[in-house]
Structure formats: C-alpha cells, structure tokens
C-alpha cells in the first residue's frame, strides 16, 4: 500500500483574527510540505486544481514542477486534473515535462472536478461535463500511446498526423481516474482498465464498497488483469501525537471550508458533533494518533476489499504550520512503515 498526501493549496482565514496567509507564503509552505513528505519517505504527493479565490492551485502543473525540482523520490500527481475543461494535448505535454524534471515520478489523476468554475472560465458548458470528459479522456489515453496522432472529436479541433512532444521519461505516463459517487464513473474506469482514485470526504468507507465492486466487475468483464485494477482512496486525514491534538488542529479549517461550500450549495453549517462522528471509529476521516490512523486505514482497506494507495487531504490544517509538518513526519515515520509491513 502506498501512502501519500493531497493538497488543495487552500487559503483559510485565521478564525481569531480573520487574516489570511499571504499567497506567496502559502505556496512556500506547500512546497516545504512536499519536501518533508519526500524526506520522510512518503510515496506520493498530489496537488488539486481549483479556480476559486480560496485556493491557489489553478495552475497545478507549475506547482508540481517546482516540487519536482525540490524532491528526489516521491511521486507527484494531480488531485485531480479537471480534464473536461482542459486541452488534453497541453495536459500531456505539461505532465511529460514534469516527468522529465522528476526523472519518472509524474502521474495524472484525471477527473471532472467537484466545482464548476472551470467550465465557463475556459469556454465550455457545464451541461456537457460528461461528454467533454469522455472525449478528452479518450484523447489523453491515445496521446500516451503514440507520439504522432490522428484524432477527431466534437469539442476540439482535429489532429492529423501531428506530433505531440516531449515524451515522458516513463515508458507510459500513469493515468488514474478520479471519481466521486457516480456508478457510471466506476464502471468507466474498470472498462478502461485504469487505476481508480475514490474521493471519500465524509460518511463511511463501507458505503463505497458496492461501487468499488462495480469497478472490479467491469474490469474483469473487459478482460483486464486484477493487478491493473488498483484502488486508491483520497480521504480527510491528519496525524498528531494524540487523537485530541489531531482533531483540534484539523477541525477549525475543515469547519470553515465546508461551511463556506455548504452556503453555496444550500447545506446546513457543519458542526463539531458531525466532525467527531466522522473522526470516530466508524467514520471516514483518518484523523488521530499514529495508532488510531493505522487502525483506521486497515479498516478502510478491509471495507473496500484491498487498497493500493491512500492519500491524506490535510489542507484544512494549513494554518497550523508546525502541526502540519509534524503530521507529515508522523505519517511517514510512524504510520506508513507499519502499513507497508
């Protein structure tokens, strides 16, 4: 099992003062987090993509390239690339370049994204989000197989025996499919034989088992070998010396982030009681001491029939810089080795 971190480069105001960390300082802290994750032996660091005022990751490939130049072994991934609103040719070129800088450590996690701002920003209709994704995923997967391509679709000008360069350092650039809770997305990933990254930001792990089973069944039906059908989970997570310290560091930022999102979507404000339930034994938050987090990851692995990768979404605790560094260190030194063993 691979263990890693995902960041959304969130900018959350201090709950006491209302002040926000200057963007340049937040970016520096993010790159320091990647360096620490690399140093303590974590397997992967992912950076998301958002086009909103409260995030600084609208150009994730630039951030990943900076991280590639400052690290040596950790794999560097998107979390996720909003492929529906992007040009797959440019995405391939950018990740191939990151792969060259990092000497073979780049990965794409392609998805449709959980927000809609990218669609009008880049001239697409949100109503076409699935058709856009289907077509652009086909082009991206074709691009990684051949340097010269002839291709035609609905949303992009055709390609006629055109070369797409540079080529990546890896023989085949890894592409995962990032999914939420739509059954069709799980089936699509299985039919294509792509590794699956499931975003689980609440509830329980068990409720996703039928969807993961759908993925594996679709993969078997399409003739893909079991080893190709890898399952990863992206979950809220944080490690501290005690359960209480982990929860106290993570809750304020999480409450702010999800209350703001909830206001846009008509949800009720989140509560500490909801948070405690999800951080408790039955919930899907991987938050607590090293022992607690170890046991919760094992439970998630069992609930979902075996996991290849687990990534911790820690952005909510970005204001607690020292606690964040401590969390990454504990994850790499006190949790990951036990899980690998």
């Amino acid at each position: 099992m691979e263990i890693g971190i995902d960041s959304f480069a969130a900018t959350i105001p201090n709950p006491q003062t209302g002040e926000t960390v200057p963007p340049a300082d937040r970016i520096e802290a993010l790159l320091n987090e990647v360096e620490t994750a690399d140093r303590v032996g974590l397997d992967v660091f992912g950076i998301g993509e958002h086009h909103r005022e409260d995030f600084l990751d609208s150009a994730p490939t630039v951030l990943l390239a900076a991280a590639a130049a400052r690290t040596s072994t950790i794999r560097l991934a998107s979390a996720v690339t909003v492929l529906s609103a992007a040009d797959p040719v440019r995405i391939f070129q950018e990740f191939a370049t990151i792969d060259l800088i990092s000497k073979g450590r780049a990965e794409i996690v392609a998805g449709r994204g959980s927000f809609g701002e990218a669609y009008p920003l880049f001239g697409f209709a949100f109503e076409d989000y699935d058709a856009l994704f289907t077509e652009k995923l086909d082009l991206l997967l074709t691009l990684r197989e051949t340097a010269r391509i002839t291709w035609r679709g609905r949303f992009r000008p055709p390609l006629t025996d055109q070369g797409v360069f540079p080529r990546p350092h890896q023989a085949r650039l890894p592409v995962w499919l990032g999914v939420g809770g739509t059954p069709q997305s799980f089936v699509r990933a299985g039919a294509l034989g792509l590794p699956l990254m499931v975003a689980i930001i609440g509830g329980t792990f068990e409720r996703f088992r039928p969807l993961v089973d759908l993925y594996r069944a679709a993969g078997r039906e399409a003739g893909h070998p079991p080893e190709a059908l890898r399952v990863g989970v992206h979950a809220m997570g944080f490690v501290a010396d005690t359960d209480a310290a982990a929860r106290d560091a993570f809750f304020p930022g999480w409450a702010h982030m999800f209350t703001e999102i909830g206001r846009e979507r008509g949800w009720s404000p989140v509560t500490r009681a909801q948070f405690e339930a999800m951080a408790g034994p039955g919930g899907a938050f991987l938050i607590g001491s090293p022992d607690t987090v170890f046991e919760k990851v094992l439970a998630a692995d069992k609930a979902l029939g075996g996991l290849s990768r687990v990534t911790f979404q820690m952005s909510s605790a970005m204001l607690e810089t020292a606690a964040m560094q401590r969390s990454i260190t504990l994850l790499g030194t006190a949790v990951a080795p036990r899980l690998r063993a």
Side-chain angles (χ1 to χ4, degrees):
M1 182 189 292
E2 295 174 329
I3 302 297
I5 294 168
D6 287 334
S7 175
F8 289 170
T11 58
I12 298 170
N14 186 301
Q16 277 76 46
T17 66
E19 295 180 353
T20 301
V21 175
D25 293 349
R26 176 66 184 109
I27 293 294
E28 180 63 24
L30 170 64
L31 294 174
N32 289 339
E33 291 161 18
V34 186
E35 285 188 285
T36 299
D38 183 56
R39 187 174 62 254
V40 300
L42 289 173
D43 299 291
V44 60
F45 200 106
I47 296 178
E49 178 187 345
H50 301 84
H51 301 271
R52 300 166 55 89
E53 184 178 7
D54 42 349
F55 297 95
L56 298 173
D57 55 6
S58 64
T61 53
V62 177
L63 296 171
L64 289 168
R70 296 169 64 155
T71 56
S72 58
T73 61
I74 197 165
R75 299 193 67 79
L76 300 164
S78 54
V80 299
T81 295
V82 184
L83 189 60
S84 301
D87 179 0
V89 173
R90 199 65 178 133
I91 290 296
F92 183 86
Q93 291 175 323
E94 290 171 347
F95 275 91
T97 303
I98 295 168
D99 205 50
L100 294 173
I101 296 169
S102 65
K103 293 184 171 57
R105 294 185 281 125
E107 300 186 1
I108 299 172
V109 181
R112 294 180 299 198
S114 56
F115 297 96
E117 291 86 356
Y119 293 87
L121 185 63
F122 296 109
F124 298 104
F126 182 76
E127 294 75 17
D128 293 329
Y129 76 100
D130 191 61
L132 283 161
F133 185 76
T134 300
E135 178 178 300
K136 293 184 177 192
L137 180 62
D138 173 70
L139 177 52
L140 179 65
L141 296 179
T142 304
L143 286 166
R144 72 172 180 163
E145 302 301 328
T146 178
R148 302 202 70 85
I149 183 170
T150 296
W151 179 92
R152 180 177 295 274
R154 171 185 167 196
F155 298 103
R156 189 199 187 282
L159 297 162
T160 304
D161 192 31
Q162 287 171 270
V164 178
F165 303 102
R167 305 307 294 178
H169 184 79
Q170 297 173 88
R172 202 162 185 251
L173 192 64
V175 176
W176 295 64
L177 202 64
V179 301
T182 307
Q184 293 85 347
S185 296
F186 286 78
V187 172
R188 172 162 44 207
L192 292 170
L194 295 176
L196 183 77
M197 179 56 69
V198 189
I200 302 178
I201 60 172
T204 65
F205 292 110
E206 286 80 4
R207 72 186 181 95
F208 284 84
R209 179 60 182 266
L211 295 169
V212 172
D213 287 344
L214 266 181
Y215 162 71
R216 291 182 171 127
R220 288 194 302 269
E221 186 174 337
H224 298 295
E227 60 270 20
L229 303 174
R230 302 171 65 201
V231 177
V233 162
H234 157 106
M236 297 288 173
F238 199 77
V239 191
D241 294 291
T242 66
D243 290 352
R247 294 181 185 188
D248 287 344
F250 198 84
F251 173 74
W254 174 84
H256 173 84
M257 184 181 297
F258 279 85
T259 296
E260 290 300 309
I261 293 170
R263 186 176 290 115
E264 296 176 11
R265 301 184 180 183
W267 304 341
S268 299
V270 297
T271 66
R272 182 75 189 223
Q274 290 173 320
F275 174 81
E276 292 292 338
M278 286 186 282
F285 285 4
L286 305 173
I287 297 174
S289 69
D291 287 343
T292 295
V293 171
F294 170 74
E295 294 296 340
K296 292 203 75 174
V297 174
L298 287 185
D301 180 71
K302 180 179 180 180
L304 295 173
L307 295 174
S308 297
R309 177 178 290 182
V310 177
T311 58
F312 286 59
Q313 169 50 270
M314 294 186 177
S315 295
S316 298
M318 50 79 55
L319 290 172
E320 302 287 346
T321 305
M324 180 76 88
Q325 289 287 336
R326 176 68 174 160
S327 180
I328 296 168
T329 300
L330 287 172
L331 184 61
T333 60
V335 178
R338 293 174 66 189
L339 290 169
R340 295 188 192 110

